[in-house]
Amino acid sequence: MQSFFPLVATLVGYLIGSLSFAVIVSRVMGLNDPRTFGSKNPGATNVLRSGSKAAAIITLLLDAAKGWLPVVLVKWYGKPYGLEDGTVALVGLAAFVGHLYPVFFKFVGGKGVATALGVLVGISGVLGLATLVTWLVMAYFFRYSSLASLTAAVFAPVYYIFGDGAAWYMSKEILFTTAVMSLLLLYRHAENIGRLVKGTESRLGKKSK
Protein backbone atom coordinates (compact mmCIF):
# COMPACT_ATOMS: atom_id res chain seq x y z
CA MET A 1 0.00 0.00 0.00
CA GLN A 2 2.82 2.40 0.84
CA SER A 3 4.11 2.14 -2.72
CA PHE A 4 1.06 4.16 -3.83
CA PHE A 5 1.73 7.10 -1.51
CA PRO A 6 4.59 8.61 -3.58
CA LEU A 7 2.41 8.45 -6.69
CA VAL A 8 -0.54 10.07 -4.94
CA ALA A 9 1.69 12.78 -3.42
CA THR A 10 3.21 13.51 -6.83
CA LEU A 11 -0.21 13.78 -8.48
CA VAL A 12 -1.45 16.13 -5.75
CA GLY A 13 1.71 18.24 -6.15
CA TYR A 14 1.08 18.51 -9.89
CA LEU A 15 -2.56 19.51 -9.39
CA ILE A 16 -1.62 22.19 -6.87
CA GLY A 17 1.03 23.48 -9.27
CA SER A 18 -1.57 23.61 -12.04
CA LEU A 19 -3.44 26.44 -10.30
CA SER A 20 -2.48 29.43 -12.46
CA PHE A 21 -2.78 32.22 -9.91
CA ALA A 22 -1.84 34.93 -12.42
CA VAL A 23 -5.06 34.18 -14.26
CA ILE A 24 -7.13 33.51 -11.14
CA VAL A 25 -6.03 36.67 -9.31
CA SER A 26 -6.49 38.82 -12.42
CA ARG A 27 -10.04 37.54 -12.85
CA VAL A 28 -10.91 38.08 -9.20
CA MET A 29 -9.49 41.62 -9.27
CA GLY A 30 -11.15 42.53 -12.57
CA LEU A 31 -7.91 42.84 -14.56
CA ASN A 32 -7.16 41.76 -18.10
CA ASP A 33 -6.07 38.19 -18.62
CA PRO A 34 -2.23 38.23 -18.42
CA ARG A 35 -2.16 35.85 -21.36
CA THR A 36 -3.45 38.64 -23.62
CA PHE A 37 -0.87 41.41 -23.12
CA GLY A 38 2.83 42.04 -22.56
CA SER A 39 4.81 38.82 -22.76
CA LYS A 40 1.51 36.88 -22.57
CA ASN A 41 3.09 34.89 -19.77
CA PRO A 42 0.74 34.05 -16.85
CA GLY A 43 3.17 35.08 -14.15
CA ALA A 44 3.66 37.80 -11.56
CA THR A 45 5.99 39.90 -13.73
CA ASN A 46 3.44 40.14 -16.52
CA VAL A 47 0.63 40.82 -14.06
CA LEU A 48 2.73 43.77 -12.85
CA ARG A 49 2.56 45.17 -16.38
CA SER A 50 -1.21 45.50 -15.92
CA GLY A 51 -0.43 48.35 -13.53
CA SER A 52 -1.62 46.57 -10.39
CA LYS A 53 1.25 46.04 -7.95
CA ALA A 54 -1.13 44.42 -5.46
CA ALA A 55 -2.22 41.79 -7.99
CA ALA A 56 1.40 41.09 -8.92
CA ILE A 57 2.45 40.65 -5.28
CA ILE A 58 -0.49 38.35 -4.52
CA THR A 59 0.28 36.30 -7.64
CA LEU A 60 3.95 36.07 -6.70
CA LEU A 61 3.21 34.88 -3.17
CA LEU A 62 0.60 32.32 -4.25
CA ASP A 63 2.79 30.97 -7.06
CA ALA A 64 5.64 30.53 -4.58
CA ALA A 65 3.32 28.99 -1.99
CA LYS A 66 2.07 26.32 -4.38
CA GLY A 67 5.66 25.15 -4.85
CA TRP A 68 6.47 25.33 -1.14
CA LEU A 69 3.34 23.67 0.27
CA PRO A 70 3.53 20.19 -1.33
CA VAL A 71 7.21 19.91 -0.44
CA VAL A 72 6.85 20.81 3.23
CA LEU A 73 3.76 18.66 3.66
CA VAL A 74 5.76 15.63 2.53
CA LYS A 75 8.69 16.64 4.76
CA TRP A 76 6.49 17.16 7.80
CA TYR A 77 4.08 14.26 7.48
CA GLY A 78 5.49 11.84 4.91
CA LYS A 79 7.91 9.67 6.87
CA PRO A 80 5.27 7.43 8.50
CA TYR A 81 4.09 6.65 4.95
CA GLY A 82 7.55 5.93 3.59
CA LEU A 83 7.95 9.30 1.88
CA GLU A 84 11.62 10.33 1.99
CA ASP A 85 13.86 12.69 0.02
CA GLY A 86 13.02 10.98 -3.24
CA THR A 87 9.34 11.83 -2.84
CA VAL A 88 10.15 15.35 -1.63
CA ALA A 89 12.14 15.92 -4.84
CA LEU A 90 9.48 14.32 -7.04
CA VAL A 91 6.61 16.29 -5.50
CA GLY A 92 8.52 19.56 -5.83
CA LEU A 93 9.29 18.86 -9.48
CA ALA A 94 5.66 17.90 -10.10
CA ALA A 95 4.40 21.20 -8.65
CA PHE A 96 6.86 23.09 -10.82
CA VAL A 97 5.86 21.18 -13.97
CA GLY A 98 2.22 21.80 -13.06
CA HIS A 99 2.88 25.53 -13.21
CA LEU A 100 4.56 25.20 -16.61
CA TYR A 101 1.91 22.88 -18.05
CA PRO A 102 -1.28 23.28 -15.96
CA VAL A 103 -4.00 20.75 -16.62
CA PHE A 104 -6.66 23.29 -15.59
CA PHE A 105 -5.52 25.85 -18.19
CA LYS A 106 -5.02 23.78 -21.33
CA PHE A 107 -1.39 23.08 -20.37
CA VAL A 108 -0.40 26.70 -21.06
CA GLY A 109 1.38 28.03 -18.01
CA GLY A 110 4.00 30.45 -16.80
CA LYS A 111 7.77 30.24 -16.69
CA GLY A 112 7.89 28.94 -13.13
CA VAL A 113 10.31 31.28 -11.40
CA ALA A 114 8.23 31.92 -8.26
CA THR A 115 7.09 28.30 -8.05
CA ALA A 116 10.66 27.05 -8.39
CA LEU A 117 11.70 29.40 -5.61
CA GLY A 118 8.88 28.04 -3.43
CA VAL A 119 10.10 24.50 -4.04
CA LEU A 120 13.67 25.48 -3.11
CA VAL A 121 12.52 27.20 0.08
CA GLY A 122 10.54 24.07 0.96
CA ILE A 123 13.63 21.92 0.43
CA SER A 124 15.94 24.25 2.37
CA GLY A 125 15.42 27.75 3.69
CA VAL A 126 19.10 28.56 3.12
CA LEU A 127 18.98 27.31 -0.47
CA GLY A 128 15.84 29.31 -1.17
CA LEU A 129 17.25 32.45 0.45
CA ALA A 130 20.52 32.28 -1.49
CA THR A 131 18.60 31.89 -4.76
CA LEU A 132 16.24 34.75 -3.89
CA VAL A 133 19.13 37.08 -2.99
CA THR A 134 20.73 36.28 -6.36
CA TRP A 135 17.49 37.22 -8.14
CA LEU A 136 17.09 40.43 -6.13
CA VAL A 137 20.66 41.60 -6.71
CA MET A 138 20.46 41.01 -10.46
CA ALA A 139 17.02 42.59 -10.72
CA TYR A 140 18.10 45.65 -8.73
CA PHE A 141 21.20 46.38 -10.78
CA PHE A 142 20.00 45.38 -14.26
CA ARG A 143 16.19 45.81 -14.04
CA TYR A 144 15.50 42.71 -16.11
CA SER A 145 13.35 40.05 -14.47
CA SER A 146 14.38 37.48 -17.06
CA LEU A 147 18.10 38.06 -16.56
CA ALA A 148 17.66 37.82 -12.79
CA SER A 149 15.71 34.58 -13.20
CA LEU A 150 18.27 33.06 -15.55
CA THR A 151 21.14 33.88 -13.19
CA ALA A 152 19.30 32.50 -10.17
CA ALA A 153 18.41 29.33 -12.12
CA VAL A 154 22.05 28.70 -13.03
CA PHE A 155 23.28 29.21 -9.48
CA ALA A 156 20.58 27.24 -7.62
CA PRO A 157 22.14 23.76 -8.17
CA VAL A 158 25.56 25.21 -7.36
CA TYR A 159 24.24 26.57 -4.06
CA TYR A 160 22.83 23.16 -3.22
CA ILE A 161 26.09 21.35 -3.99
CA PHE A 162 28.29 23.74 -2.02
CA GLY A 163 25.72 24.57 0.65
CA ASP A 164 23.33 22.01 2.11
CA GLY A 165 24.45 19.42 -0.40
CA ALA A 166 28.08 19.54 0.69
CA ALA A 167 27.20 17.57 3.81
CA TRP A 168 27.25 13.79 3.97
CA TYR A 169 23.47 13.68 3.64
CA MET A 170 23.33 15.26 0.19
CA SER A 171 20.35 13.91 -1.71
CA LYS A 172 20.99 12.99 -5.32
CA GLU A 173 17.22 13.14 -5.93
CA ILE A 174 16.97 16.72 -4.70
CA LEU A 175 20.05 17.72 -6.69
CA PHE A 176 18.46 16.16 -9.77
CA THR A 177 15.21 18.07 -9.21
CA THR A 178 17.08 21.34 -8.69
CA ALA A 179 19.08 20.79 -11.89
CA VAL A 180 16.01 19.84 -13.95
CA MET A 181 14.09 22.91 -12.75
CA SER A 182 17.06 25.07 -13.71
CA LEU A 183 17.22 23.57 -17.20
CA LEU A 184 13.47 23.99 -17.68
CA LEU A 185 13.71 27.62 -16.54
CA LEU A 186 16.42 28.25 -19.14
CA TYR A 187 14.28 26.56 -21.78
CA ARG A 188 11.19 28.60 -20.86
CA HIS A 189 13.22 31.80 -21.09
CA ALA A 190 14.56 31.10 -24.59
CA GLU A 191 12.63 34.01 -26.11
CA ASN A 192 13.76 36.31 -23.31
CA ILE A 193 17.36 35.35 -23.98
CA GLY A 194 16.88 36.35 -27.62
CA ARG A 195 15.39 39.71 -26.63
CA LEU A 196 18.17 40.32 -24.10
CA VAL A 197 20.75 39.76 -26.83
CA LYS A 198 18.88 42.15 -29.17
CA GLY A 199 18.34 44.73 -26.42
CA THR A 200 14.54 44.63 -26.77
CA GLU A 201 13.65 42.94 -23.48
CA SER A 202 11.17 44.84 -21.28
CA ARG A 203 12.47 46.18 -18.01
CA LEU A 204 10.87 45.63 -14.62
CA GLY A 205 8.00 47.96 -13.81
CA LYS A 206 7.28 48.89 -17.42
CA LYS A 207 3.53 48.96 -17.99
CA SER A 208 2.25 47.30 -21.15
CA LYS A 209 0.23 49.35 -23.56
Side-chain angles (χ1 to χ4, degrees), residues 18-43:
S18 290
L19 297 171
S20 184
F21 286 113
V23 178
I24 295 170
V25 170
S26 294
R27 287 178 181 175
V28 171
M29 298 184 68
L31 303 173
N32 291 331
D33 190 321
R35 297 170 295 182
T36 63
F37 62 83
S39 64
K40 295 181 172 57
N41 175 60

Side-chain angles (χ1 to χ4, degrees), residues 5-7 9-10 70-71 74-75 78-79 82-94 119 123 160 169-178:
F5 289 135
L7 179 61
T10 302
V71 171
V74 172
K75 288 180 67 175
K79 285 190 176 181
L83 307 183
E84 302 289 345
D85 280 350
T87 307
V88 170
L90 195 58
V91 167
L93 183 59
V119 172
I123 291 172
Y160 180 72
Y169 54 79
M170 183 176 78
S171 167
K172 292 181 180 179
E173 294 88 351
I174 289 177
L175 177 59
F176 175 78
T177 285
T178 305

Side-chain angles (χ1 to χ4, degrees), residues 28-209:
V28 171
M29 298 184 68
L31 303 173
N32 291 331
D33 190 321
R35 297 170 295 182
T36 63
F37 62 83
S39 64
K40 295 181 172 57
N41 175 60
T45 300
N46 205 39
V47 171
L48 181 61
R49 295 190 179 107
S50 71
S52 175
K53 292 182 180 179
I57 292 172
I58 293 171
T59 299
L60 179 67
L61 293 175
L62 289 175
D63 277 351
K66 73 181 184 183
W68 171 83
L69 183 62
V71 171
V72 296
L73 286 178
V74 172
K75 288 180 67 175
W76 291 344
Y77 305 110
K79 285 190 176 181
Y81 303 97
L83 307 183
E84 302 289 345
D85 280 350
T87 307
V88 170
L90 195 58
V91 167
L93 183 59
F96 176 71
V97 171
H99 179 84
L100 302 186
Y101 307 103
V103 66
F104 304 126
F105 295 86
K106 300 179 180 179
F107 301 100
V108 178
K111 294 177 180 175
V113 177
T115 303
L117 179 61
V119 172
L120 295 179
V121 172
I123 291 172
S124 165
V126 174
L127 173 62
L129 180 60
T131 306
L132 175 59
V133 169
T134 301
W135 191 97
L136 291 172
V137 169
M138 293 297 294
Y140 178 80
F141 284 105
F142 296 98
R143 308 302 297 172
Y144 289 112
S145 174
S146 57
L147 180 60
S149 301
L150 290 165
T151 306
V154 169
F155 276 92
V158 178
Y159 292 148
Y160 180 72
I161 292 172
F162 291 100
D164 288 3
W168 62 269
Y169 54 79
M170 183 176 78
S171 167
K172 292 181 180 179
E173 294 88 351
I174 289 177
L175 177 59
F176 175 78
T177 285
T178 305
V180 170
M181 288 197 302
S182 296
L183 290 173
L184 285 172
L185 283 168
L186 294 176
Y187 169 73
R188 296 288 284 190
H189 282 81
E191 292 183 2
N192 301 86
I193 294 172
R195 288 194 293 268
L196 284 167
V197 172
K198 295 177 183 177
T200 58
E201 179 74 330
S202 296
R203 290 181 180 270
L204 274 169
K206 182 179 179 181
K207 185 176 179 180
S208 290
K209 298 181 180 179

